[in-house]
Amino acid sequence: MPQEEQDAKQTFLGFDLSTQKLKAILLNSELNVVATAEAKFDSDLPEFRTIGGANPGPNKFEYFVQPVMWVKAMDIVLDRLVMQEVDLSTVLAISGSAQQHGSLYWSKHGITALQNLDADKFLHAQIDDSAFVVNRTPIWMDASTLKQCFEMETAIGGHTEMVQKTGSKCYARFTGPQIRKIYQQRTHAYEDARRISLVSSFLASLFLGKVASIDYADGSGMNLLDIRNKTWSKTCLNACAPDLEERLGEPVSGFSILGNVSDYFVQRFCFPPTCKVVACTGDNPSALAGMLVDKNWLSISLGTSDTLMMTLDEPPNLEEGHVLCHPTESHEYMGLLCFRNGSLVREALKKSEADNNWERFNELLDSTPRGNFGNMALHFNEMEIIPKAKGTLRWNKDMNSSSHDAAKGVLKFSSPQIEIRALVEGQMLHHRAIAEDMGFHFGSQTNILVTGGASVNKSILQVIADVFNAPVYTQNESEAALLGAAYRAAYAYHLHHISNTESIKSYRNFILGQTPNHLKLVCEPNKDSGSIYTPMLQRYRDMAHILESQFGH
């Protein structure tokens, strides 16, 4: 077969096991999409009775999933690829992305079942309830472990110590506190659990035919990994549960080839026996990999909560926010910031000030000048994560931190357009200030990538360009985490097959050498943006400080 034809027959398979669905994407050697298939948990697997992909637990803040649902979803997705006559014998490597922080607890029987899969039967007929010692397994939505967070932080010397070691203080949704709760409340199940997987490493385990290693980036969302040394922190493990290290196994780099696909997939779906299984990672790191951005880029997702992602040279010591090992750059880190007061606050003002109409909202926003005549507002309708503050504060042009009414501000601005611009500018000044605190360096090379629901709103994007004083791009391809999984499979395969004489390309250069970046420039900052917003940044900090101090630190 000529080389070109052989190349054309090479594909890479990526999976994303998100909260609501499992989706697969197949890319050819030029990294173009050949096929996709998905299974939605609520509608395709109604027997599990999930709402938004999860089941509420019996107690407050508890959410769980039955792991067999995810196994069954894999059966459905692979069958849907077969129904489309996708040739799976061309797949050179597989990788995946998955919701972060969830955990699965393998029984001895489950590990044996994984190793001895019968190609005549569905996966879910063999990896059934008996494969796990916990059948209602906690996922990232579960926030019922505040007690365990307190115990773990106390045991290692406080949350500053936890931030230093693991990149985040103890979070109730993180895996470490969840494992501790299971150890405390279901001790026998914990003792019977031979291995513990994250959702991402569980995904890799299905293809590998044995329990797969956890990768550094997803491992960073557990409060257990020392992110500087990339090893499990002994003190954190001891503060969590006994004999935990043998249950977690050694963590690995995200480009590790874990082994060949198990015989089950060769027999049942005609995967080549040499098809490589690449370490899977969490959906946030995989999204960063799929966006193909470097350290000059700040990524902002505008959704129910606004999320910022960035690449950092060094982990900052920020009490809030998350620092993870970087998914594709071994000496860098990934910063992740989540803010509660995102689109819901924008929508509330659209209702009250703009007849509940986005076009009207944008007209009002566009009709006011940058800087809003010195009027500024902070809207923290919900308790914000950083700063820890709740409430609304409006300042007019005459107010500053030493004004006698600085803490009270004004009750309302004189017009809806001033209200709307003050909200959007205030939100973006807040995002920029916290990104700086996390260690992101703004400069002439900075670019902003905006994703999420509001990324279609050009008026909001223009405010972002101005406040950040940087061009704003959007991405045509919305499923960055899924693409990131397939891209990482392709790059790991490339690294594995590179000859000694070839120079090693970086991940980003390799992928961009095969496929164009799916980025579109939407807005550029106005020339006067720096001079307008730099002083406003300090003013924002003064306002935030006042709101925060009302919560009596």
Side-chain angles (χ1 to χ4, degrees):
M1 188 188 287
Q3 188 60 44
E4 299 83 66
E5 239 181 277
Q6 205 168 344
D7 281 357
K9 288 259 163 63
Q10 298 184 337
T11 61
F12 301 97
L13 185 57
F15 287 89
D16 181 30
L17 201 173
S18 65
T19 312
Q20 302 193 14
K21 64 182 181 184
L22 172 67
K23 185 161 184 182
I25 191 168
L26 190 70
L27 303 182
N28 62 15
S29 55
E30 278 89 56
L31 304 183
N32 295 319
V33 180
V34 178
T36 62
E38 67 181 35
K40 293 193 168 97
F41 304 137
D42 293 3
S43 51
D44 286 318
L45 294 151
E47 63 271 33
F48 293 97
R49 298 182 177 177
T50 54
I51 299 163
N55 303 95
N59 302 309
K60 202 174 178 197
F61 305 129
E62 287 185 343
Y63 285 90
F64 70 87
V65 156
Q66 297 172 65
V68 179
M69 176 176 83
W70 293 332
V71 179
K72 215 167 177 180
M74 183 59 79
D75 283 325
I76 294 174
V77 168
L78 288 168
D79 275 356
R80 286 179 178 172
L81 287 171
V82 170
M83 296 291 286
Q84 294 176 41
E85 298 183 1
V86 171
D87 180 2
L88 295 171
S89 72
T90 60
V91 179
L92 299 181
I94 302 171
S95 189
S97 141
Q99 50 178 288
Q100 293 197 253
H101 317 310
S103 47
L104 295 97
Y105 301 78
W106 293 95
S107 66
K108 184 181 175 188
H109 168 76
I111 293 172
T112 310
L114 256 185
Q115 289 164 345
N116 299 290
L117 292 171
D118 176 348
D120 292 332
K121 297 178 182 159
F122 282 116
L123 282 171
H124 73 266
Q126 305 174 75
I127 301 169
D128 56 14
D129 282 345
S130 65
F132 307 98
V133 295
V134 177
N135 286 120
R136 297 182 156 206
T137 205
I139 64 161
W140 67 271
M141 293 161 72
D142 188 290
S144 65
T145 61
L146 288 174
K147 167 180 171 282
Q148 288 78 14
C149 289
F150 178 73
E151 291 166 352
M152 283 178 66
E153 287 188 341
T154 307
I156 74 157
H159 66 234
T160 310
E161 190 62 27
M162 188 62 84
V163 171
Q164 289 261 321
K165 274 196 168 55
T166 73
S168 299
K169 68 174 197 186
C170 248
Y171 277 88
R173 302 167 186 277
F174 273 34
T175 326
Q178 295 286 351
I179 292 172
R180 180 166 179 77
K181 181 181 164 188
I182 283 179
Y183 161 65
Q184 289 177 337
Q185 296 185 0
R186 307 168 72 171
T187 310
H188 289 304
Y190 178 81
E191 284 169 356
D192 290 342
R194 292 302 167 97
R195 293 291 301 273
I196 297 174
S197 290
L198 292 179
V199 187
S200 59
S201 63
F202 154 79
L203 190 57
S205 306
L206 289 180
F207 286 100
L208 198 58
K210 59 182 188 199
V211 179
S213 304
I214 291 171
D215 88 297
Y216 300 142
D218 208 11
S220 311
M222 300 175 78
N223 286 128
L224 297 174
L225 188 81
D226 179 328
I227 59 168
R228 287 173 173 82
N229 299 327
K230 297 187 165 73
T231 54
W232 300 120
S233 155
K234 295 276 191 282
T235 48
C236 294
L237 293 179
N238 293 340
C240 180
D243 306 318
L244 185 50
E245 189 160 7
E246 64 199 49
R247 287 173 168 81
L248 294 175
E250 280 282 303
V252 296
S253 139
F255 293 135
S256 301
I257 287 180
L258 304 174
N260 291 340
V261 74
S262 89
D263 196 46
Y264 174 86
F265 295 92
V266 179
Q267 305 286 331
R268 189 172 173 94
F269 296 106
C270 303
F271 278 87
T274 54
C275 172
K276 305 296 175 210
V277 180
V278 177
C280 298
T281 193
D283 53 6
N284 287 305
S286 196
L288 190 64
M291 289 170 185
L292 303 175
V293 293
D294 64 17
K295 65 171 69 165
N296 292 320
W297 287 77
L298 178 70
S299 144
I300 305 178
S301 168
L302 298 173
T304 307
S305 51
D306 287 353
T307 306
L308 272 60
M309 284 199 263
M310 64 197 82
T311 297
L312 301 167
D313 290 328
E314 275 302 313
N317 286 316
L318 208 56
E319 295 283 288
E320 303 290 343
H322 312 298
V323 181
L324 314 176
C325 295
H326 198 285
T328 64
E329 307 304 316
S330 56
H331 300 300
E332 289 172 2
Y333 298 87
M334 167 179 173
L336 189 62
L337 292 165
C338 262
F339 302 123
R340 287 210 179 102
N341 294 283
S343 67
L344 297 180
V345 184
R346 293 187 284 272
E347 280 167 22
L349 235 68
K350 170 188 67 139
K351 274 199 181 107
S352 66
E353 307 294 328
D355 315 325
N356 204 15
N357 177 310
W358 279 120
E359 277 178 31
R360 177 83 184 123
F361 180 98
N362 292 347
E363 258 171 47
L364 293 166
L365 179 57
D366 296 340
S367 72
T368 34
R370 292 181 294 288
N372 204 17
F373 307 111
N375 297 300
M376 279 181 69
L378 296 188
H379 291 262
F380 298 139
N381 298 4
E382 298 281 324
M383 172 65 81
E384 192 43 87
I385 299 168
I386 324 180
K388 200 170 172 54
K390 185 175 176 174
T392 304
L393 182 61
R394 295 174 175 86
W395 279 5
N396 61 28
K397 68 178 193 320
D398 303 321
M399 288 179 169
N400 58 45
S401 52
S402 49
S403 307
H404 69 281
D405 49 0
K408 209 165 80 213
V410 295
L411 275 176
K412 194 106 173 84
F413 290 129
S414 57
S415 70
Q417 49 266 52
I418 287 178
E419 283 289 357
I420 284 172
R421 180 163 280 273
L423 160 78
V424 181
E425 286 186 343
Q427 282 188 326
M428 298 314 152
L429 285 160
H430 161 256
H431 296 1
R432 174 165 177 171
I434 314 295
E436 281 181 1
D437 294 346
M438 193 172 226
F440 188 84
H441 300 296
F442 288 93
S444 57
Q445 300 298 303
T446 302
N447 294 305
I448 313 283
L449 171 60
V450 182
T451 62
S455 62
V456 296
N457 187 319
K458 183 115 191 271
S459 304
I460 291 177
L461 298 186
Q462 186 59 57
V463 176
I464 295 175
D466 289 331
V467 170
F468 286 89
N469 199 19
V472 168
Y473 293 78
T474 56
Q475 200 154 29
N476 306 337
E477 180 49 70
S478 59
E479 294 177 294
L482 182 61
L483 269 180
Y487 288 166
R488 286 183 319 94
Y491 184 66
Y493 182 85
H494 162 74
L495 285 182
H496 188 68
H497 285 83
I498 201 165
S499 67
N500 294 336
T501 53
E502 281 181 83
S503 62
I504 296 180
K505 286 181 180 166
S506 74
Y507 165 78
R508 186 167 179 263
N509 289 344
F510 171 77
I511 301 295
L512 289 175
Q514 314 284 320
T515 182
N517 215 340
H518 304 280
L519 296 176
K520 183 170 136 218
L521 175 65
V522 189
C523 306
E524 303 245 27
N526 285 285
K527 293 279 181 280
D528 56 1
S529 294
S531 59
I532 292 172
Y533 290 106
T534 306
M536 284 173 73
L537 207 54
Q538 186 50 50
R539 217 167 161 225
Y540 154 79
R541 289 183 183 280
D542 295 340
M543 292 173 76
H545 184 66
I546 287 171
L547 266 185
E548 192 169 19
S549 62
Q550 292 171 357
F551 283 84
H553 270 257

